[in-house]
Amino acid sequence: MNNLLQHRNSEHQLQQLFWECTLRCNLNCKHCGSDCTTSNAINDMPFSDFAPVLDNIARNIPDTKKVLIALLGGEPLLREDILQCGTEIKKLGFPWGTVSNGMLLTKKKFDELFEAGLRSITISLDGFEEEHNWLRENSISFERSVNAIKYISKSSKPVSWDVITCVTKKNFSKLLFFKDFLCSIGVKRWRLFTIFPAGRAANNPDLILSNQHFEKLMQFIIHVKQEGKITINYGCEGYLGKYENRVRDYPFFCQAGINVASVLADGSITGCLSIREKKFIQGSIYSSDFWTIWNNKFEIFRDKEWTKNGVCINCNAYEKCLGGSLHLRDNNGNLSFCRYNYLNRN
């Protein structure tokens, strides 16, 4: 491991805390990793249960402004107390943000969220109307998401925001035209993700790009970067070898358990919300002190020698990759797939 990675591991400075504040959702997306539900029968975690975690962190760090609290789901705006949650987080001095499907984000709601302390927001938009509504399984989802983006883009409020798109076989061929559409509605920052086989997507191979399509996606991102009309980055799915520093503005580094922690809807503590296997759960907010766990556990995230199995054993990029993104590892520690292995032998 290089010196920079060793330093980040040893320091493990908390920079983001993800709170899975609800498992309820008003959509039924084909690719949902949390397998969220439209049912109201599942109760949200009361903020009073999560607040001690924030108090605990605040007592142990010099500056709460340096830790972003991300309210995620499900669809966070379904919480009737979302404004109260945000206000309490703001009072403790933490900046907070959220990711939304846009279904409930009106101009009034956006203004209220800002007053409650919202400082960053991401809206999901997965292609044009046909492709987006197909993935989200809702006939008005595209319209609502686009309207939400327009509200934000026209606002003068100092909120950092971007749009994320899950690239599938269905929207892949239209990405160039879709990029132009995003620019036309005021989008300045765009992140592209590919779907990995977890949650509902585990049994739906139609959602997973082939290696050939994936390489074309890398080339598309490079083209858009060179064009310079919109800031574009690929997500965190592993080390990419010859495409590193060309499709992201930052080198690959899996921050889970090193700079990022998550509290799941049931109170479990893990690295990030995409890492839900029992193997990676470090404890629970209902039985343990969060800061003690953060400082004294998370070994599986910080010492990754155990990832040197399968295709990683003799890989010449291991010291840079460290076994890839941990959300691609199953409960036995096996890597689901490796894009680097394909990209760099061609």
Side-chain angles (χ1 to χ4, degrees):
M1 189 187 304
N2 64 44
N3 290 336
L4 176 60
L5 296 184
Q6 286 180 332
H7 175 74
R8 291 182 71 169
N9 270 351
S10 62
E11 290 290 316
H12 52 264
Q13 182 179 2
L14 184 65
Q15 296 174 353
Q16 294 186 76
L17 177 65
F18 298 159
W19 177 32
E20 190 174 48
C21 67
T22 184
L23 282 176
R24 295 180 297 127
C25 192
N26 44 11
L27 296 178
N28 189 35
C29 305
K30 296 180 185 295
H31 64 303
C32 183
S34 302
D35 201 18
C36 297
T37 176
T38 56
S39 171
N40 288 322
I42 297 180
N43 294 326
D44 300 335
M45 179 190 294
F47 183 77
S48 58
D49 290 4
F50 181 65
V53 175
L54 300 180
D55 290 330
N56 186 219
I57 295 171
R59 289 195 304 270
N60 286 281
I61 62 174
D63 188 358
T64 54
K65 291 184 177 63
K66 294 185 177 180
V67 180
L68 175 71
I69 311 301
L71 277 59
L72 306 176
E75 172 50 47
L77 299 192
L78 280 173
R79 285 191 69 117
E80 294 181 357
D81 65 345
I82 185 74
L83 298 177
Q84 291 91 332
C85 291
T87 299
E88 292 303 314
I89 294 170
K90 178 183 177 181
K91 285 179 181 177
L92 289 169
F94 293 97
W96 68 274
T98 193
V99 177
S100 174
N101 59 35
M103 290 286 287
L104 300 175
L105 190 65
T106 61
K107 182 181 183 302
K108 180 176 182 291
K109 176 64 74 173
F110 178 67
D111 291 343
E112 291 173 339
L113 290 168
F114 176 77
E115 292 303 316
L118 179 76
R119 290 300 177 265
S120 70
I121 187 168
T122 293
I123 303 296
S124 298
L125 188 63
D126 302 304
F128 289 112
E129 186 168 14
E130 178 185 351
E131 293 78 29
H132 176 89
N133 289 348
W134 168 81
L135 187 63
R136 301 287 169 170
E137 297 199 336
N138 185 287
S139 62
I140 63 171
S141 177
F142 175 82
E143 178 185 359
R144 292 285 183 88
S145 186
V146 169
N147 286 341
I149 291 167
K150 289 179 178 178
Y151 298 142
I152 300 170
S153 69
K154 293 175 182 177
S155 172
S156 60
K157 291 179 170 55
V159 174
S160 174
W161 67 281
D162 66 356
V163 168
I164 57 171
T165 297
C166 289
V167 182
T168 66
K169 294 175 181 176
K170 196 171 182 69
N171 64 14
F172 181 83
S173 64
K174 298 181 181 179
L175 285 178
L176 189 60
F177 303 104
F178 185 60
K179 178 264 300 179
D180 291 336
F181 171 73
L182 291 179
C183 291
S184 75
I185 60 174
V187 177
K188 305 295 184 184
R189 296 169 57 214
W190 187 25
R191 279 184 293 156
L192 300 183
F193 284 80
T194 45
I195 297 170
F196 57 96
R200 295 175 192 162
N203 299 311
N204 194 340
D206 290 338
L207 298 176
I208 314 298
L209 290 186
S210 68
N211 284 325
Q212 293 83 356
H213 277 101
F214 186 82
E215 182 145 32
K216 289 180 180 178
L217 176 63
M218 299 296 99
Q219 294 164 357
F220 167 78
I221 294 172
I222 291 170
H223 166 75
V224 175
K225 278 185 173 293
Q226 292 172 342
E227 187 181 47
K229 293 181 179 179
I230 189 171
T231 298
I232 185 172
N233 280 291
Y234 178 62
C236 58
E237 192 182 289
Y239 179 72
L240 300 171
K242 64 186 180 184
Y243 290 107
E244 278 297 309
N245 301 317
R246 300 175 70 195
V247 297
R248 290 185 284 238
D249 293 338
Y250 39 83
F252 168 72
F253 179 68
C254 185
Q255 298 184 70
I258 299 172
N259 303 120
V260 175
S262 296
V263 175
L264 302 184
D266 65 356
S268 298
I269 300 170
T270 183
C272 91
L273 295 186
S274 296
I275 304 175
R276 312 177 72 86
E277 300 284 358
K278 183 178 179 181
K279 175 185 181 76
F280 297 101
I281 300 300
Q282 300 300 293
S284 170
I285 65 169
Y286 293 113
S287 58
S288 307
D289 176 90
F290 175 85
W291 198 251
T292 299
I293 289 177
W294 177 250
N295 276 324
N296 299 320
K297 299 193 74 172
F298 283 91
E299 299 95 334
I300 196 171
F301 294 89
R302 297 168 188 168
D303 181 359
K304 296 179 181 173
E305 281 298 312
W306 63 270
T307 64
K308 221 168 195 179
N309 59 14
V311 297
C312 297
I313 293 176
N314 298 311
C315 181
N316 58 9
Y318 183 81
E319 291 304 312
K320 296 178 180 178
C321 176
L322 297 179
S325 301
L326 292 184
H327 69 263
L328 298 179
R329 298 269 170 178
D330 63 22
N331 205 39
N332 295 316
N334 298 315
L335 191 63
S336 302
F337 59 86
C338 176
R339 296 294 191 185
Y340 170 84
N341 196 37
Y342 170 81
L343 293 174
N344 295 275
R345 70 167 186 256
N346 290 287

